[in-house]
Amino acid sequence: MAMAQTLQLNQGWFWKQRNTRLPSVQDEIDLASHGNIEGWRTAHAFPSEVHVELFREGLIPDPYVAFNEHKVQWIGDVEWIYKCSFPFDKPVVHEHAVFLFEGLDTICDVYLNGKEIFSADNQFRTYTYKINLSDDANPLQEINTLFLHFKSAKALAKEEEAKYGKVRAGSANLGDPSRVYVRKAQYDWRWDWGPELMTAGPYRPITLTTYSARLNDVHTRASVSFNKVTGAPLPSLKVDITLEGSPVYEGSEVVLKETSGKEIKREYVRLQGSIDSFRDLVQWHLSPEEVNLWWPVGYGEQKLYDVTVTLVGSNRQFLDVKTKRIGFRSVELIQEPLAEPDQYGSGTTFLFEINGIRIFIGGSNWIPADNFLTTITEERYRAWLTLLRDGNQNMVRIWGGGIYEPDIFFDICDELGILVWQDFQFACGVYPAHPAFVESVRKEAMDNVTRLRHHPSLTLFCGNNEDYQMILQWGDTEDLPARVLYEHIFPEIVAKLTDPPIPYHRGSPYGGKGWDTADPTIGDVHQWDIWGGKEYPYHDYDRRGGRFVSEFGIPSMPDMRTIAHWMDGADNSQWYSQSTLMAQHTKAGAFERRFAIVMNENFRLTSDLETHVYNTQLMQSEAVSYAYRSWRRAWRGRGKEYTSGVLVWQLNDCWPGTSWAIVDYFLRPKPSYFTIARQLTPIAIGIHRTVVKNRKNDRPHQFYEFGAMQSHDATIDVWGTNTTNHCRLVKLELTCHDLNSSWTHSERHNVTLLPNQSTELLSIRCPGPPKEGVEPPSGDPIWTSSYSVVVNARLIDSDGKVLARFADWPQPYRYLDVPDPQLSVELIDEQVTVSVQRPVKGLWFSVDGDGPEVSWNDNSLDVVPGDSQVITAKGLGDRKLKVAYLGKEKASLVHV
């Protein structure tokens, strides 16, 4: 007996396009086995994808540039073959071997030494092939060859559609509806933010393990309860194991250590009998002195521990070892009746309680960070998730049209304290439920729940994305066959395989009676009647929320450098917002009309591309930060958690394009990233201005009107949000500045911010300059002079430190005559101090010249006189600063 040994099959891979002139793939295999190398090319990396290999060989253009997406569509229509040869010396002491295929994309026949050993048809499954090395039929030889034959997923989808019938699956922007029949990442067929790129290849590792006996799985059940009298945490750990191989084991040792290596507890357990699973191998009741709890970012430390399980044979020989990194935390999804109704009525909460603390969720939706998954390195994952964490966000939702992300994604979330909402991979469609499909999905769910369940960051499993909503939206589809998955199979698997239980939610959105996915009083909602749907103005976000808003958003164009990347030296005639190349990289449905509505409502028209880009970004920033600000205000304390979470659509991009992302493909944050971050600080302040019109109207309530409607007055409401668990006594400072004159106003109030909720602080008539001797702007004798007043609020602690600030500007911005702010910028090392003589909105710092990306701790600032702000520009070096702002949207050098 000896330790199990694992061979990584990551070297010596070759690939080629299947030669369809040959009758069968077996002919390809026979030719290759006789040394025919025609057409075979060396894989540049492993794991591998065909598009990436073709591009690196110079055989296709970059699909992310210009119109090249359309030049590579043939790749998804043909078949591809991979092969790898490897030596194998049969270990004298091992009786068993197993191949582990962690991810095959997607329709793949697998051959070992010329014989087909299995077929794969599900990108999300882990496939194994077991071998008895003592058997005469053992297929392993001294030199072995694996062949992987990838067929067209697109073709199979069409075959299945012909067999089972055409169904509806989202809008035309979401790819061909036949996609629902194939268990492949749905965004590969195209989505309204990404290209159609039908990938193929072994996109995750392949290994061969030999063993006598091995640990097939280690289930670490780390749980936390609380003393009912003192409230002290009571952590515990139980460990289950399942085994494979021969019954040559004698016992198992379990060790709990800190990640530093310091040992906390160790126990050796004798294993009796020939069974292959042992529950409660250890049952440890731990003290708070031995282990600390794992907390989401902003609430405490992300304390992690290593649990190492060793399978031991006779004479205390080690047979196998596995280590899981865990955290001790409790998680509950609380859906209980509210104490009082709000603007939407009564209903129930939809909130997450971690370690007994109710947490307001502020986060983002996540799509795959690339169409080519093998190019996403650990460093890229870490950079993305660190941006999310540094933006004061505490949850990421893995959306249902992508993939189950690899282990490293969850490892990083564990380290950074980011909660994970995990959709099962179903999105925007009427999925089938015939027996073969259901059985494949059942195995997919079991694989992934088992793989992910030990992560303390994992907070929720969700059945699907918008499948229930689509049925209601269309109104012409009678049923959703995949309900059997969402309502029975998935919850059963999650309940059976997770302990302590991880909450399960049928779908997103989901909650109301009869699947009323838009009911704001129960469950979660997706708010797409702003930008899409009924195309309400974004100023209505405060009226169109819900108990948990798991999707909403408004798109914008990315950084000018990102645009330049896809333009790839295009003629100057294409550098305008409505050009064909801009359309190629904007996949959203009806984007021209929808952009026109929100842009025309709020900004002056422009034909200058850079100005237009800036305005789209400012518009997105204003809209989504207003949503966060308004919905976080509805976190009003125990029994009044009217909105408990907000997840913007979306954090990231999978290619360079115009989309809802708040950070573009090249990890360049847009202004919205920073304005959201300021809304999610532990202590924040908000202002809402309501303009009183002369008659009933359907205009945004923040807009001053000078046409068919007239503005007669305005009020402002000021509130603070405190997500710490302690009251804060602070000073509220309110200052007002008129854009059209030198008039100012200021007032101060001592206020108390209640713990873990919002607190209303002030409700007054909006101050404005004297009207005596001033001509009314539109001739109406009843008018308000506040139409040009910027209201700035700050919360200041007893030491004079500014805890939070927010500036409310009069709207719409298209009416404003913005004065020169008379910027003063001081740069010392990488610290930038900015002050102004007149208010400035959306002050955006960038850098002149090439070089590493600058990391800004804040940007897109609203600055008023007397309130200088300091930000850092890590990596600036000796490059010069550029600025743009409302009224001067084209970036220019700033004197420091």
Side-chain angles (χ1 to χ4, degrees), residues 746-775:
S746 65
E747 54 187 85
R748 290 172 176 79
H749 306 268
N750 293 320
V751 298
T752 300
L753 301 178
L754 298 177
N756 202 14
Q757 68 173 82
S758 67
T759 305
E760 299 297 311
L761 302 178
L762 192 66
S763 183
I764 61 172
R765 187 179 188 184
C766 184
K771 296 192 291 184
E772 291 78 9
V774 179
E775 188 70 21

Side-chain angles (χ1 to χ4, degrees), residues 133-301:
L133 296 177
S134 302
D135 196 312
D136 292 339
N138 170 20
L140 288 171
Q141 305 167 4
E142 288 187 8
I143 300 296
N144 303 273
T145 302
L146 270 179
F147 274 81
L148 310 178
H149 174 207
F150 290 93
K151 303 174 186 177
S152 170
K154 185 191 298 186
L156 177 65
K158 282 299 185 182
E159 292 171 9
E160 293 292 289
E161 183 182 66
K163 185 189 304 183
Y164 294 105
K166 189 170 184 176
V167 298
R168 298 194 68 170
S171 67
N173 296 74
L174 308 190
D176 193 275
S178 63
R179 63 180 171 80
V180 301
Y181 287 108
V182 177
R183 296 308 296 146
K184 175 176 173 59
Q186 300 288 271
Y187 80 117
D188 287 345
W189 270 266
R190 187 178 68 256
W191 221 260
D192 54 4
W193 33 255
E196 180 179 347
L197 294 167
M198 296 295 290
T199 54
Y203 79 107
R204 284 186 177 165
I206 299 174
T207 58
L208 172 62
T209 298
T210 60
Y211 58 96
S212 295
R214 74 180 188 115
L215 293 159
N216 183 46
D217 182 59
V218 172
H219 184 192
T220 53
R221 295 151 56 204
S223 62
V224 179
S225 59
F226 295 89
N227 186 296
K228 294 182 179 180
V229 177
T230 66
L234 304 172
S236 66
L237 175 65
K238 300 177 182 179
V239 176
D240 306 337
I241 61 172
T242 57
L243 308 177
E244 283 186 346
S246 303
V248 295
Y249 43 81
E250 180 181 273
S252 181
E253 186 174 64
V254 182
V255 181
L256 176 65
K257 292 183 179 182
E258 295 186 2
T259 55
S260 65
K262 179 183 177 182
E263 186 173 312
I264 299 169
K265 203 172 185 69
R266 177 187 296 261
E267 185 175 345
Y268 180 81
V269 180
R270 293 190 63 85
L271 302 178
Q272 298 180 344
S274 58
I275 59 176
D276 60 3
S277 64
F278 295 86
R279 185 171 174 85
D280 296 337
L281 191 67
V282 298
Q283 301 183 65
W284 292 342
H285 297 286
L286 304 164
S287 70
E289 290 74 30
E290 290 177 296
V291 297
N292 296 326
L293 301 189
W294 180 96
W295 288 94
V297 60
Y299 287 85
E301 187 181 3

Side-chain angles (χ1 to χ4, degrees), residues 685 687 689 716 718 731-739 742-749 762 764-769 786 788-796 802 804-810 836-839 862-869:
I685 189 167
I687 302 174
R689 187 181 316 210
I716 58 170
V718 183
K731 187 179 295 294
L732 168 63
E733 179 187 85
L734 201 70
T735 59
C736 302
H737 301 266
D738 184 34
L739 296 174
S742 60
W743 174 88
T744 63
H745 168 81
S746 65
E747 54 187 85
R748 290 172 176 79
H749 306 268
L762 192 66
I764 61 172
R765 187 179 188 184
C766 184
S786 64
S788 55
V789 171
V790 175
V791 181
N792 190 69
R794 301 195 302 175
L795 293 176
I796 304 171
V802 177
R805 56 166 61 86
F806 177 71
D808 178 71
W809 279 58
V836 296
Q837 298 300 310
R838 305 295 301 278
D862 291 351
V863 189
V864 299
D867 185 21
S868 61
Q869 298 188 37

